[in-house]
C-alpha cells in the first residue's frame, strides 16, 4: 500500500513536470492526507502558476502554509526537490504574487485579506502592507475632520506606524471641534477640560492674546489665576505690571504690590522701589573715563569705564579694557560673562557679541540663541540674523521663525520685510509667506501695508497682497505721511492718496531732489512749486495760499507759518495775517511758542506775537530742546531759557544737554553740571 501511495505522489510530480496540471492536481489531492507536505507543495506550485486553469493565489497561499506546517527535513523529500530552500523560494513567489494582486489597488479590505492570508510573507512585504493599509485608513480619517474617527483608528491600530501622527491628528481635530471660533469662552472651557491635549499651550497662548486685547490688568489677573502655566505666566504678570505702573515711582509701585500681593517677582519690585528715584546718567570726565552721576551731580558710579550707555530696564552696558559687560545701578557687575559688544536691554533681551558671533542674552545673563554673523535690533518681535551668509529671523526665545534662505532680509516693519532671492526683491511676512521676487528693489512696508517697488529704474506702489496700485512707470516715489505719497515723473511731482486711490494733485510741479518729503507736505497740506512760485493746498485740493504770494513757505508750527519772499523771512498766522515783517535774513520754525530769527549780526528770540524776548548781537542762538537755547559769543557758549532768561553767561567752552533739566558744561580744565530745576552749578 505504501508503495502504491508512493507511486501516486511520484506520478503526481511526474505529471507536474510535463505540465499535466489536471492529473497532477487530482493525484496531489488523493495524496494530501498521506503526504501533506509533498502534496501541498505540489498544489501550491500549480495554484501559483498562471499557465493553467487552476491558477488561484489564495489556494497557493493555503497549500504552502500546509506544506510548511508538515514539512520535515528528511531524505524522502529530496526525490521531489522539496527542502527548506525550495519551500522558501516558493513561499516568496506566492507572497509577491499575492502582494501584487491584493496590494496594488488601494483597497483596505484587500490589504487586510493579504495580511490574514499571506501572513507568512515575512519581513519584506508584511510591514509594507501594514504601512499601505494604515496610510489609506489614515488618509480617510484625515478627510473626516472628526476626532471620533481618529479615536477608532487609534483603538483599532495601536501598533501602526501612523499611530504618533494619529495622536497628533486627534489632538488637532479635538482642538478644532472644541474651539471652532476660538472665542474666549471656548478657549477657557478647552483649557479646563482637555489638559492632556497637545494644543493646550496653543489655546493658552491664544487666550492670552485675546485677554491682552482688553488692556485690563484685572482681566489678565483672572487669566493668570485660572488659566496660565509657566508658558504665559511671566509674560502675563509683566503685562499686568506694565499696564498698572506707568511712572515707576515709589507710590505707584507700592500701590501695585498692594493690589496684586501674589505678584511672584516681589523682590524685583522692592529693589525697583529703592532705586526708582535714582536717575543715573552716563558721563565722560576730562580724562576720557565714563561713570554715572545723579541729578545732583554726584558720582554714584565713579569714572572707570572706556565707554558707557544709559540704564535701560535697570541695567547699563559698559566697556573696559576692550571688554563689555552689564552693571546695575549700584555699580555691581551682574554676571561673570564679558563680551566684545553689548547692546542695551529691550523687553528683557540684549544683543551681545562673543567670539566674533552675536547672541541673544536674557535678563538673567543667559545666552538663549545660537551664534550668528549678525543680529539686528528687534522689530515686530523678530530679530533678523545672518547665518552662513544667508538671512533669516528668530524670536525673543532664540527660535528660528524665518528660515535662513534669503540673500538679504530687511527688518520686519508692520509685519513685513523686503527680501532678496538671487538678483530680485520681494516681500515676506512674519509667518514666512513670501511674495514673488520680481523687482529690482523694494522698500519697507509702511503702515498702509504698501511697499514702493522698482523695476527697470521705474517706481510703483504695491500692496502686500501683490496688487499694483501704481504701475512701475514713475521716476521716483517716496512715502510722506498718513496715506500720502510723493510721485515724480519727468522732474515734475504730485501727490497720491493710496486710501482714496487717486491723485490729490496732478504731476505738474517742479521737483528738487535735494529736499526730503516732509519739505513738500506734512500729510495735511501740500506745497506746489511752479516757475519759482509756491502755493499751498489741502487734501481736497483747495488753495490755502495761491501762487504769487510768497517765494517759499513752511508748514505751520504753533499755528504760525514761516514764509519767504525775495530771500527774506517772516511769519503769518493761518489766516495769513502778518505776525512779523518779512525782513529777516534767516528764521526757524516756532517751537514751544518761540522762534529764532536773525538779521545781519543780530539774533533774536521772538514769541507768537512777534515780540522780541532776547537779543544777541555778534553771536548766535540755537535750540537745544523745546525749553532751552544755547548762545554763542566770541566762541564761548551760554544757556538761556526759551523766554530769554539768561541761565549761564557766555563763559563756557562747551554746553551739552544730557538730561531734560541737566547740562554738561566745560570751562577750561573744569567740568560742571548745571541743573535748571534749582539753577545750581556744580563742579564735578
Amino acid at each position: 500500500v505504501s508503495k502504491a501511495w508512493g507511486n501516486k505522489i511520484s506520478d503526481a510530480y511526474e505529471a507536474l513536470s510535463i505540465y499535466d496540471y489536471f492529473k497532477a492536481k487530482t493525484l496531489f489531492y488523493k495524496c494530501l492526507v498521506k503526504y501533506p507536505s509533498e502534496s501541498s507543495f505540489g498544489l501550491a506550485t500549480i495554484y501559483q502558476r498562471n499557465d493553467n486553469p487552476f491558477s488561484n493565489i489564495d489556494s497557493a497561499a493555503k497549500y504552502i502554509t500546509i506544506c510548511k506546517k508538515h514539512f520535515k527535513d528528511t531524505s524522502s523529500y529530496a526525490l521531489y526537490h522539496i527542502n527548506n530552500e525550495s519551500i522558501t523560494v516558493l513561499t516568496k513567489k506566492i507572497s509577491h504574487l499575492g502582494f501584487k494582486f491584493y496590494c496594488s489597488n488601494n483597497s483596505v479590505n484587500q490589504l487586510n485579506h493579504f495580511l490574514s492570508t499571506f501572513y507568512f510573507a515575512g519581513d519584506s512585504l508584511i510591514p509594507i502592507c501594514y504601512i499601505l493599509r494604515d496610510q489609506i485608513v489614515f488618509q480617510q480619517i484625515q478627510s473626516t475632520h472628526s476626532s471620533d474617527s481618529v479615536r477608532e483608528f487609534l483603538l483599532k491600530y495601536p501598533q501602526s506606524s501612523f499611530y504618533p501622527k494619529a495622536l497628533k491628528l486627534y489632538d488637532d481635530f479635538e482642538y478644532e471641534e472644541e474651539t471652532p471660533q476660538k472665542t474666549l469662552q471656548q478657549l477657557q472651557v478647552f483649557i479646563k477640560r482637555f489638559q492632556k491635549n497637545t494644543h493646550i499651550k496653543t489655546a493658552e497662548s491664544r487666550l492670552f492674546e485675546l485677554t491682552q486685547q482688553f488692556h485690563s490688568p484685572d482681566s489678565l489677573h483672572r487669566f493668570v489665576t485660572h488659566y496660565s502655566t509657566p508658558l504665559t505666566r511671566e509674560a502675563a504678570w509683566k503685562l499686568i505690571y506694565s499696564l498698572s505702573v506707568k511712572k515707576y515711582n515709589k507710590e505707584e509701585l507700592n500701590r501695585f504690590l498692594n493690589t496684586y500681593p501674589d505678584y511672584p517677582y516681589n523682590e524685583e519690585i522692592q529693589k525697583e522701589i529703592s532705586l526708582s528715584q535714582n536717575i543715573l546718567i552716563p558721563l565722560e570726565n576730562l580724562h576720557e573715563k565714563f561713570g554715572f552721576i545723579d541729578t545732583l551731580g554726584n558720582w554714584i558710579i565713579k569714572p572707570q569705564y572706556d565707554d558707557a550707555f544709559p540704564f535701560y530696564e535697570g541695567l547699563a552696558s559698559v566697556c573696559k579694557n576692550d571688554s563689555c559687560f552689564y552693571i546695575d545701578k549700584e555699580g555691581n557687575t551682574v554676571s561673570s560673562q564679558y563680551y566684545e559688544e553689548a547692546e542695551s536691554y529691550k523687553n528683557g533681551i540684549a544683543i551681545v557679541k562673543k567670539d566674533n558671533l552675536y547672541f541673544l542674552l536674557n535678563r538673567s545673563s543667559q545666552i538663549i540663541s545660537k551664534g550668528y554673523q549678525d543680529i539686528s535690533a528687534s522689530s515686530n518681535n523678530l530679530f533678523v540674523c545672518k547665518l552662513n551668509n544667508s538671512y533669516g529671523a528668530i524670536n525673543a526665545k532664540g527660535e528660528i521663525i524665518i528660515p535662513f534662505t534669503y540673500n538679504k532680509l530687511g527688518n520686519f516693519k508692520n509685519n513685513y520685510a523686503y527680501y532678496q532671492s538671487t538678483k530680485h526683491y520681494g516681500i515676506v511676512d512674519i509667518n514666512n509667506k513670501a511674495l514673488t521676487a520680481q523687482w529690482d528693489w523694494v522698500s519697507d512696508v509702511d503702515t498702509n501695508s504698501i511697499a514702493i517697488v522698482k523695476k527697470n529704474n521705474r517706481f510703483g506702489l504695491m500692496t502686500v497682497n501683490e496688487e499694483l496700485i501704481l504701475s512701475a512707470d514713475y521716476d521716483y516715489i517716496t512715502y510722506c505721511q498718513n496715506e500720502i505719497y510723493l510721485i515724480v515723473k519727468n522732474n515734475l511731482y504730485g501727490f497720491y492718496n493710496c486710501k482714496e486711490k487717486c491723485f490729490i494733485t496732478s504731476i505738474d510741479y517742479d521737483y528738487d531732489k535735494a529736499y526730503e518729503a516732509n519739505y513738500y507736505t506734512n500729510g495735511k497740506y501740500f506745497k506746489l512749486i511752479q516757475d519759482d512760485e509756491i502755493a499751498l493746498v489741502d487734501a481736497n485740493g483747495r488753495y490755502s495760499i495761491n501762487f504769487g504770494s510768497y517765494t517759499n513757505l513752511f508748514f505751520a508750527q504753533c499755528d504760525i507759518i514761516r514764509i519767504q519772499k525775495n530771500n527774506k523771512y517772516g511769519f503769518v498766522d493761518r489766516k495769513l495775517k502778518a505776525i512779523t515783517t518779512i525782513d529777516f535774513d534767516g528764521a526757524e520754525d516756532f517751537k514751544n511758542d518761540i522762534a529764532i530769527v536773525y538779521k545781519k549780526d543780530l539774533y533774536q528770540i521772538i514769541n507768537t506775537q512777534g515780540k522780541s524776548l532776547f537779543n544777541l548781537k555778534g553771536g548766535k542762538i540755537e535750540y537745544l530742546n523745546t525749553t532751552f537755547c544755547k548762545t554763542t559769543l566770541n566762541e564761548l557758549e551760554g544757556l538761556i531759557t526759551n523766554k530769554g532768561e539768561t541761565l549761564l553767561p557766555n563763559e563756557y567752552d562747551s554746553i551739552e544737554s544730557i538730561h531734560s533739566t541737566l547740562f554738561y558744561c566745560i570751562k577750561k580744565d573744569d567740568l560742571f553740571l548745571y541743573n535748571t530745576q534749582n539753577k545750581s552749578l556744580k563742579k564735578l
Side-chain angles (χ1 to χ4, degrees):
V1 177
S2 298
K3 184 177 180 181
W5 282 106
N7 288 337
K8 283 184 180 181
I9 194 70
S10 297
D11 291 344
Y13 273 101
E14 184 177 350
L16 180 62
S17 70
I18 60 174
Y19 306 104
D20 187 349
Y21 293 114
F22 184 84
K23 180 179 179 180
K25 174 174 172 288
T26 302
L27 291 172
F28 280 137
Y29 270 113
K30 288 181 179 180
C31 298
L32 190 59
V33 175
K34 183 69 175 177
Y35 298 102
S37 184
E38 297 96 321
S39 299
S40 296
F41 187 87
L43 289 169
T45 302
I46 293 170
Y47 285 124
Q48 65 89 24
R49 291 181 179 178
N50 60 7
D51 60 349
N52 66 81
F54 310 115
S55 179
N56 187 302
I57 196 61
D58 280 357
S59 297
K62 173 183 175 181
Y63 286 105
I64 195 63
T65 302
I66 295 173
C67 173
K68 290 164 65 74
K69 179 180 178 182
H70 293 280
F71 174 72
K72 296 178 181 178
D73 194 5
T74 61
S75 59
S76 62
Y77 291 89
L79 180 64
Y80 312 113
H81 303 289
I82 302 173
N83 51 47
N84 285 319
E85 183 179 354
S86 62
I87 292 173
T88 300
V89 170
L90 184 56
T91 300
K92 286 184 177 180
K93 284 183 180 180
I94 294 169
S95 299
H96 282 280
L97 288 170
F99 185 83
K100 183 178 180 181
F101 185 80
Y102 286 108
C103 301
S104 60
N105 56 4
N106 294 331
S107 167
V108 173
N109 289 336
Q110 292 200 15
L111 287 164
N112 280 329
H113 178 80
F114 177 82
L115 291 169
S116 61
T117 304
F118 296 81
Y119 58 86
F120 51 79
D123 293 341
S124 60
L125 298 178
I126 292 297
I128 297 175
C129 187
Y130 273 120
I131 291 172
L132 288 172
R133 181 201 66 185
D134 294 353
Q135 185 177 32
I136 294 168
V137 177
F138 186 69
Q139 289 173 345
Q140 290 173 348
I141 65 170
Q142 277 182 306
S143 64
T144 66
H145 294 281
S146 166
S147 61
D148 289 340
S149 298
V150 183
R151 186 189 297 111
E152 184 179 347
F153 177 88
L154 292 169
L155 293 172
K156 195 171 182 178
Y157 304 110
Q159 303 301 320
S160 171
S161 62
F162 288 86
Y163 194 87
K165 289 185 178 180
L167 281 174
K168 182 182 182 303
L169 191 64
Y170 178 80
D171 282 352
D172 293 346
F173 288 169
E174 184 179 64
Y175 180 53
E176 291 302 319
E177 290 166 359
E178 297 297 330
T179 62
Q181 287 82 38
K182 307 294 184 292
T183 64
L184 207 69
Q185 185 176 7
Q186 288 172 356
L187 292 164
Q188 288 172 343
V189 171
F190 181 82
I191 291 171
K192 288 295 185 183
R193 290 183 55 197
F194 301 96
Q195 289 290 322
K196 294 183 179 180
N197 189 291
T198 54
H199 288 285
I200 198 73
K201 292 183 177 180
T202 304
E204 181 186 340
S205 296
R206 181 57 183 156
L207 180 59
F208 183 37
E209 291 175 7
L210 292 176
T211 307
Q212 287 182 72
Q213 295 175 11
F214 292 107
H215 299 287
S216 165
D218 289 340
S219 296
L220 285 163
H221 188 249
R222 284 193 292 273
F223 170 80
V224 167
T225 304
H226 299 292
Y227 303 105
S228 74
T229 68
L231 174 71
T232 58
R233 188 170 294 131
E234 181 177 357
W237 270 119
K238 295 299 183 184
L239 187 56
I240 293 170
Y241 179 59
S242 65
L243 288 171
S244 303
V245 180
K246 299 298 182 184
K247 298 180 181 178
Y248 294 89
N249 57 34
K250 182 178 180 180
E251 292 73 24
E252 281 204 4
L253 292 169
N254 277 319
R255 190 182 306 120
F256 175 79
L257 289 178
N258 291 332
T259 304
Y260 301 105
D262 51 336
Y263 183 68
Y265 311 107
N266 188 286
E267 291 183 3
E268 293 181 11
I269 295 289
Q270 295 295 343
K271 185 174 182 180
E272 186 72 37
I273 289 172
S274 66
L275 299 174
S276 61
Q277 295 178 331
N278 294 354
I279 298 173
L280 299 186
I281 304 162
L283 196 63
E284 184 181 18
N285 67 11
L286 295 175
H287 302 290
E288 299 182 343
K289 291 296 181 182
F290 284 85
F292 292 83
I293 62 170
D294 62 14
T295 57
L296 300 177
N298 301 310
W299 288 106
I300 303 302
I301 301 174
K302 293 183 178 181
Q304 56 188 291
Y305 307 110
D306 300 325
D307 204 355
F309 300 89
F311 276 93
Y312 287 98
E313 300 182 5
L315 300 179
S317 169
V318 295
C319 300
K320 190 175 184 178
N321 299 329
D322 296 325
S323 294
C324 299
F325 50 98
Y326 294 94
I327 61 172
D328 62 21
K329 284 188 175 182
E330 295 172 332
N332 300 314
T333 303
V334 298
S335 110
S336 59
Q337 294 296 317
Y338 292 86
Y339 311 99
E340 294 151 27
E341 297 177 18
E343 297 185 8
S344 298
Y345 273 93
K346 181 181 178 182
N347 298 323
I349 301 295
I351 300 170
V352 297
K353 184 180 182 182
K354 189 176 180 66
D355 298 328
N356 233 18
L357 292 175
Y358 291 88
F359 301 85
L360 294 187
L361 191 74
N362 70 13
R363 193 60 172 68
S364 300
S365 302
Q366 297 171 317
I367 289 177
I368 57 172
S369 76
K370 64 188 297 182
Y372 295 95
Q373 290 169 276
D374 194 15
I375 301 180
S376 69
S378 173
S379 181
N380 276 157
N381 299 317
L382 291 177
F383 298 83
V384 173
C385 306
K386 184 179 181 182
L387 180 66
N388 299 326
N389 294 319
S390 294
Y391 290 84
I394 62 177
N395 63 14
K397 296 179 182 179
E399 299 167 335
I400 295 175
I401 304 300
I402 307 296
F404 287 79
T405 57
Y406 299 105
N407 293 354
K408 286 185 180 179
L409 184 64
N411 283 344
F412 282 85
K413 297 177 181 178
N414 302 305
N415 296 324
Y416 293 88
Y418 69 80
Y419 75 88
Q420 183 186 29
S421 180
T422 62
K423 295 182 179 180
H424 293 102
Y425 286 78
I427 295 172
V428 60
D429 69 12
I430 56 177
N431 298 311
N432 199 38
K433 181 180 178 182
L435 300 186
T436 306
Q438 56 180 310
W439 304 101
D440 298 336
W441 174 83
V442 176
S443 73
D444 291 329
V445 173
D446 60 36
T447 55
N448 301 307
S449 296
I450 289 175
I452 301 168
V453 295
K454 182 180 180 183
K455 196 165 192 176
N456 299 326
N457 214 30
R458 292 290 183 269
F459 293 80
L461 292 178
M462 182 184 73
T463 71
V464 294
N465 296 319
E466 219 162 2
E467 174 192 359
L468 269 179
I469 298 176
L470 289 179
S471 58
D473 294 328
Y474 300 93
D475 297 338
Y476 181 64
I477 297 177
T478 186
Y479 174 63
C480 298
Q481 291 186 42
N482 305 327
E483 302 92 20
I484 308 302
Y485 298 81
L486 186 141
I487 313 294
V488 180
K489 192 168 187 177
N490 299 326
N491 290 322
L492 299 175
Y493 74 92
F495 297 97
Y496 181 80
N497 186 314
C498 71
K499 184 177 181 181
E500 304 295 333
K501 293 188 176 179
C502 67
F503 279 90
I504 297 171
T505 70
S506 58
I507 306 177
D508 288 324
Y509 304 100
D510 301 335
Y511 177 66
D512 188 339
K513 63 182 180 181
Y515 295 109
E516 299 289 338
N518 59 9
Y519 173 80
Y520 292 96
T521 179
N522 62 359
K524 295 181 179 180
Y525 291 91
F526 307 88
K527 285 185 189 180
L528 306 180
I529 304 171
Q530 198 170 55
D531 299 329
D532 294 327
E533 293 187 352
I534 193 163
L536 193 69
V537 299
D538 63 18
N540 295 314
R542 292 190 296 263
Y543 280 81
S544 300
I545 299 177
N546 289 310
F547 286 108
S549 300
Y550 306 108
T551 308
N552 202 356
L553 55 87
F554 303 86
F555 299 107
Q557 301 291 335
C558 304
D559 284 331
I560 295 176
I561 302 171
R562 178 162 57 110
I563 55 173
Q564 181 182 358
K565 196 169 186 178
N566 299 327
N567 295 322
K568 295 293 183 179
Y569 293 85
F571 296 91
V572 296
D573 63 17
R574 288 187 181 273
K575 295 181 179 181
L576 306 185
K577 180 181 176 182
I579 301 296
T580 70
T581 57
I582 307 175
D583 63 352
F584 295 110
D585 294 332
E588 298 192 37
D589 286 330
F590 271 84
K591 293 181 181 179
N592 199 19
D593 292 335
I594 65 113
I596 298 173
V597 298
Y598 66 89
K599 184 178 180 181
K600 294 183 179 179
D601 63 347
L602 179 66
Y603 267 80
Q604 297 180 70
I605 293 177
I606 63 172
N607 63 16
T608 54
Q609 287 78 44
K611 180 182 177 182
S612 177
L613 302 178
F614 184 85
N615 297 326
L616 181 64
K617 190 171 184 178
K620 184 180 179 181
I621 304 173
E622 56 188 304
Y623 292 117
L624 281 176
N625 52 42
T626 58
T627 308
F628 302 99
C629 297
K630 179 166 67 175
T631 60
T632 304
L633 187 63
N634 299 324
E635 298 184 353
L636 293 175
E637 297 180 354
L639 183 68
I640 62 174
T641 68
N642 62 356
K643 304 301 181 185
E645 178 189 358
T646 298
L647 300 177
L648 293 175
N650 290 86
E651 298 176 353
Y652 297 88
D653 300 319
S654 173
I655 296 177
E656 294 181 18
S657 175
I658 60 172
H659 189 262
S660 59
T661 60
L662 301 177
F663 291 86
Y664 173 72
C665 311
I666 298 176
K667 185 177 181 180
K668 295 183 179 179
D669 294 330
D670 293 321
L671 200 59
F672 298 89
L673 182 73
Y674 183 75
N675 188 323
T676 59
Q677 285 186 319
N678 56 22
K679 297 183 179 179
S680 64
L681 184 68
K682 181 174 182 177
K683 186 177 179 180
L684 298 175

